[in-house]
């Protein structure tokens, strides 16, 4: 089914690509609320781009984004040893330059999806590439949910800084009109005007409701999603629940490991359209649907699934170093020991990659479980947290963490450490004018 009412947007993308092909690269920011059709638009556009390479990367809704996650996705689609290079390269500027060089070689469409969830390193990459795009033969398409950008969201800075460039285009996707909703309703015995009102013309909501059982209009989109899931066999439903726990991107091997399910159960989820196959992984057709399925799982069952996922991730050589992901599942299980193992490790990795916001979030997560730690380790954790809070301007949190660290060192009679922390406390106190 072709997309409705997106011809002008597709035309903008085609023009931008034509310009990029001639050596005048372009960036198109595509925004709009969840389910408005950003991904669908880009999929339609990239489907018939003969000749241009298409590289696709996405930011994930994990507890913490993977540093440079989209570039990691893209590395898998590029020639050469980009993947190992990403892990080995400590010089961020050199890495970004090398990526930019790649974009000068051939006509390329680079898609970076859902940057409202981007880590700082990815935002830096966006800034770096956007400023220099004009020298490349690339069309960079960036999608984000505009309604998820609070006033202090760091993406705002990127959008502000790149705003004036003539190489930048913006597409804000509008809801579907009543006429389009009528087209989607087709011959069903449903009143298009009411459906349009009920859904605000959001295509995800409209299509979910239309995918519901014939003759019955679900009250809400949630009902529609859950009704679709109840049509699955028990083993397919188990697969779906496990998939929701695994997250935004589901590795088939992991799903098989966690559920022990036969391929047909996964096929059924694909067949009813709850899951879709994407390169080497599976995804929910929509993140909103994943959230709804996840919330519908009984809490104790959800914990069991998180535990299975955690154990499977730990056991696999591919994923056992993915500390941030392990920390996320460990938190869901309430496994303090595992959180205290993985979250600080992930935080250090994030900090080393200058992803200070993620580092602070990960230390904050570890902190919630830190009462289990000996006082000295607890204090060291707080110190590391304070450093990251300073880096992202969260002075109040930094001060509070330093003060608790000082109390802990005092209880251990470690005057050197007390003094060191008092000295550090001066910086944030000075900044907030409290000295
Ligand atoms: N123009 C359109 N006409 C008809 N159906 C559409 C249109 N755009 C999107 N859809 C339907 O709506 C669903 C949701 O769209 P899509 O996943 O592209 O939204 P999104 O903006 O990427 O959402 P998110 O922010 O959650 O990623 C699609 O699966 C598709 O079936
Ligand atoms: Mg999308």
């Amino acid at each position: 089914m072709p997309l409705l009412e997106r011809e002008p947007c597709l035309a903008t993308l085609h023009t931008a690509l034509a310009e990029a092909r001639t050596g005048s690269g372009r960036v198109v920011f595509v925004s709009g609320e969840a389910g408005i059709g950003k991904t669908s638009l880009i999929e339609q556009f990239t489907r018939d781009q003969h000749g241009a390479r298409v590289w696709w990367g996405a930011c994930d809704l994990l507890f913490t984004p993977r540093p440079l996650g989209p570039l990691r996705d893209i590395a898998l689609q590029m020639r050469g040893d980009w993947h190992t290079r990403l892990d080995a390269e400590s010089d961020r500027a050199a890495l970004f330059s090398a990526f930019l060089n790649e974009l000068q070689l051939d006509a390329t469409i680079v898609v970076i999806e859902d940057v409202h969830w981007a880590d700082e390193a990815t935002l830096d990459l966006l800034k770096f590439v956007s400023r220099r795009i004009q020298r490349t033969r690339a069309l960079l398409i960036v999608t984000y949910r505009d309604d998820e950008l609070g006033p202090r969201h760091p993406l705002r800075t990127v959008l502000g800084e790149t705003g004036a460039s003539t190489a930048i285009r913006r597409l804000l996707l509008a809801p579907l009109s009543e006429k389009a909703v009528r087209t989607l309703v087709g011959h069903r015995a449903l009143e298009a005007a009411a459906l349009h009102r009920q859904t605000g013309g959001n295509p995800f909501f409209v299509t979910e409701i239309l995918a519901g059982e014939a003759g019955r209009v679900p009250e809400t989109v949630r009902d529609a999603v859950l009704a679709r899931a109840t049509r699955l066999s028990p083993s397919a439903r188990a697969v779906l629940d496990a998939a929701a726990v695994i997250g935004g991107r589901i590795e088939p091997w992991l799903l098989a490991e966690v559920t022990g399910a036969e391929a047909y159960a996964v096929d059924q989820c694909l067949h009813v359209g709850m899951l879709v196959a994407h390169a080497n992984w599976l995804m929910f057709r929509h993140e909103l649907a994943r959230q709804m399925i996840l919330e519908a799982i009984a809490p104790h069952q959800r914990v069991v699934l998180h535990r299975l996922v955690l154990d499977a991730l730990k056991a696999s050589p591919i994923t056992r170093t993915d500390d941030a992901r392990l920390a996320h599942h460990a938190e869901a299980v309430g496994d303090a020991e595992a959180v205290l193992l993985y979250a600080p490790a992930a935080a250090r990795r994030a900090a080393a990659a200058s992803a200070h916001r993620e580092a602070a979030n990960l230390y904050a997560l570890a902190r919630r479980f830190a009462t289990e730690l000996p006082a000295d380790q607890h204090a060291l954790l707080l110190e590391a947290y304070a450093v990251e809070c300073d880096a992202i301007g969260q002075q109040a949190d930094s001060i509070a963490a330093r003060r608790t660290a000082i109390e802990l060192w005092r209880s251990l009679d470690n005057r050197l450490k007390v003094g060191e922390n008092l000295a550090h406390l001066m910086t944030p106190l000075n900044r907030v004018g409290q000295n």
Side-chain angles (χ1 to χ4, degrees), residues 12 16 19 25-29 126-127 129-134 140 142 158-159 161-171:
T12 302
E19 289 163 347
R26 294 285 180 258
V27 183
V28 180
F29 285 102
L126 278 185
K127 265 190 262 182
V129 175
S130 300
R131 284 201 199 113
R132 298 163 179 81
I133 196 78
Q134 213 137 3
L140 170 64
V142 181
V158 180
L159 295 169
E161 283 180 18
T162 51
S165 163
T166 51
I168 314 268
R169 308 274 180 274
R170 284 166 207 277
L171 287 177

Side-chain angles (χ1 to χ4, degrees), residues 91-169:
D91 182 351
R92 176 82 43 82
L95 192 69
F96 289 180
S97 294
F99 184 64
L100 197 73
N101 285 343
E102 287 281 342
L103 302 184
Q104 284 160 346
L105 298 179
D106 273 318
T108 312
I109 302 172
V110 182
V111 183
I112 302 194
E113 276 245 74
D114 299 326
V115 294
H116 49 277
W117 291 322
D119 59 286
E120 283 160 290
T122 297
L123 294 175
D124 286 345
L125 175 70
L126 278 185
K127 265 190 262 182
F128 184 92
V129 175
S130 300
R131 284 201 199 113
R132 298 163 179 81
I133 196 78
Q134 213 137 3
R135 294 186 232 146
T136 72
R137 304 181 60 202
L139 167 60
L140 170 64
I141 307 176
V142 181
T143 71
Y144 65 94
R145 295 182 182 167
D146 52 351
D147 54 350
E148 297 224 2
L149 299 193
R152 294 182 55 206
H153 196 291
L155 179 59
R156 288 203 183 276
T157 322
V158 180
L159 295 169
E161 283 180 18
T162 51
S165 163
T166 51
I168 314 268
R169 308 274 180 274

Side-chain angles (χ1 to χ4, degrees), residues 3-4 6 34-40 114 145 203-204 285-286:
L3 294 185
L4 301 171
R6 294 293 182 241
I36 200 72
K38 300 178 290 297
T39 304
S40 307
D114 299 326
R145 295 182 182 167
F204 170 72
R285 189 175 75 86
H286 206 280

